[in-house]
Amino acid sequence: DITRWPEGAVGVLSVADSQFSPLSDGLPRYIGVDGFTALCEGLAAQCTRVVRPQWVGAMSPAANTRWNLSKSVGGRPLGDPYDFVLIAHNGKCAARLAGTAKTSDGNSAASKVLQSLQCGFGVRPLEQLQRQRKLILSSIWVLMFVTETPLGPQWEGAHVSGSPTISWASNVSAKRRHRGNAPPAVSEPPGQECWVVHSTPQFARDNKVPQENIPEAKAAEVTAELLSALESAMGLAPGSVKPVYTRVQLWGAANPLTVAGVPAVFDSSTRTGACGDWCEGPPCVEAAARSALAASDAIEALLLPNSARDSDAARRLDALRVRWSAASTASSPLGAFPGMDVPLGQLPSEEPKGRGGGRRGGAVGRGRGRGRSVEG
Ligand SMILES: Cc1cc2nc3c(=O)[nH]c(=O)nc-3n(C[C@H](O)[C@H](O)[C@H](O)COP(=O)(O)OP(=O)(O)OC[C@H]3O[C@@H](n4cnc5c(N)ncnc54)[C@H](O)[C@@H]3O)c2cc1C
């Protein structure tokens, strides 16, 4: 499902001189064979039962401290009552879901989780992040394009340093050749190259639109700006990258800029919890997995105390309350990865006036996992 990314394939591209410097810290880095999908499929295959796709829009208390789940408030229960509800998500949708958990007198039936899921949007100065008592999320534009002429570099992924517009570029076609003997999930026509470019959070904030309904003119504008920034970063002539296919996507709820300071949110009394990369950070798949493991240890300790791997796990998490702080990697345009030493970029010194998302931003889709076709 995953494979090691060869040493030297990933590094830092400096806009100042268009020089690429491979990361040489000796840390292992992993990529999904054929992208993230294979990793998720591999995990799902190890589960007893996975129901998908399944949107969960409401949760309501059932008998014996259990929970009914449904698509919407008052909707038909999705299966039998559940012993525990763990919301492995953040942002407005997660807060909205927790907000549907009501006791018969109308109070919150999952108040610890509900409070922990309050959120806001928009990259902002560090002092403002430090004052926040909730999750703040940045946004990122992502461009995927295909060319019939290879762009040339030997590297496969680069953190772009010094660009106000782009933060990451990757030759997805090259990356997907690291597959051992596995057959390709998608066969690419010979000679074609597929690339992915990520914007900086500031660029995304300043070009915020409804992510589920991107105006064509904005898509064209963002495509042109990201392509132009890539050409400039790589030292290519303006207009020399001629894509035969492009697609842009705005990740409204991309990376957490504040972290909750707990491995996971957990409440034995209501049998609810929440986990994700925003709990302890730095925002990446590894942090999300660690948080989920902490939550699952606690659930096991609660429901199967005699055979649990870590019988004290529920008590420990029960005792914790979120303590928000600015993520140490908040100025990283792309989230961050444990142990990695790459230029983090800069947080804005002040919030923009007028144009842009800032505090008003917040159109959120259904999570970063949906439709993911890129990894960084
Ligand atoms: C553009 C981009 C590229 C990235 N690249 C990398 C990378 O290369 N490597 C890396 O380590 N990290 C990367 N990250 C960060 C990484 O994606 C996140 O850290 C990670 O996905 C967080 O996992 P999570 O489980 O906390 O949340 P998510 O991945 O957001 O998962 C939440 C899931 O819950 C589902 N969901 C939400 N609400 C509901 C509901 N009501 N009912 C049912 N399902 C629901 C969503 O559809 C989603 O699948 C990237 C992030 C972005 C934005």
Side-chain angles (χ1 to χ4, degrees), residues 36 54-56 88-89 93 97 142 198 251 254-255 276-277 283-286 288 337 366-370 372 375-376:
F36 270 6
Q54 181 61 67
W55 185 252
V56 180
H89 190 39
C93 296
L97 172 60
V142 177
H198 289 188
W251 294 92
N255 286 314
D277 61 351
C284 64
V285 169
E286 182 175 331
F337 306 93
R366 296 182 176 187
R368 287 157 286 169
R370 200 177 71 141
R372 164 69 49 83
E375 69 269 26

Side-chain angles (χ1 to χ4, degrees), residues 40-210:
C40 300
E41 299 283 357
L43 289 172
Q46 295 171 37
C47 297
T48 314
R49 186 167 166 245
V50 177
V51 180
R52 62 175 184 163
Q54 181 61 67
W55 185 252
V56 180
M59 51 191 281
S60 56
N64 304 322
T65 335
R66 290 178 158 200
W67 289 94
N68 279 321
L69 301 180
S70 52
K71 274 193 198 169
S72 55
V73 176
R76 197 163 43 86
L78 299 164
D80 293 335
Y82 295 86
D83 292 317
F84 198 99
V85 175
L86 179 69
I87 300 180
H89 190 39
N90 58 37
K92 288 196 173 165
C93 296
R96 206 174 294 135
L97 172 60
T100 64
K102 294 269 170 61
T103 60
S104 53
D105 54 9
N107 292 321
S108 173
S111 57
K112 183 176 177 184
V113 169
L114 178 61
Q115 280 167 19
S116 308
L117 289 173
Q118 300 311 304
C119 64
F121 292 83
V123 62
R124 55 190 78 180
L126 183 63
E127 314 78 69
Q128 289 193 20
L129 288 178
Q130 281 162 341
R131 286 203 297 272
Q132 297 297 324
R133 294 291 167 265
K134 61 185 176 187
L135 174 65
I136 304 295
L137 290 151
S138 67
S139 306
I140 290 185
W141 276 98
V142 177
L143 164 69
M144 182 173 74
F145 70 88
V146 176
T147 63
E148 289 183 329
T149 319
L151 298 196
Q154 294 304 302
W155 50 263
E156 297 174 8
H159 296 267
V160 181
S161 139
S163 168
T165 310
I166 61 170
S167 61
W168 169 257
S170 179
N171 179 344
V172 175
S173 302
K175 206 159 86 173
R176 293 197 174 183
R177 281 181 210 124
H178 305 297
R179 52 181 327 100
N181 295 324
V186 180
S187 56
E188 290 180 13
Q192 286 199 350
E193 240 176 31
C194 177
W195 281 73
V196 160
V197 181
H198 289 188
S199 81
T200 59
Q202 285 88 334
F203 178 87
R205 180 195 64 188
D206 295 344
N207 289 278
K208 192 130 187 164
V209 291

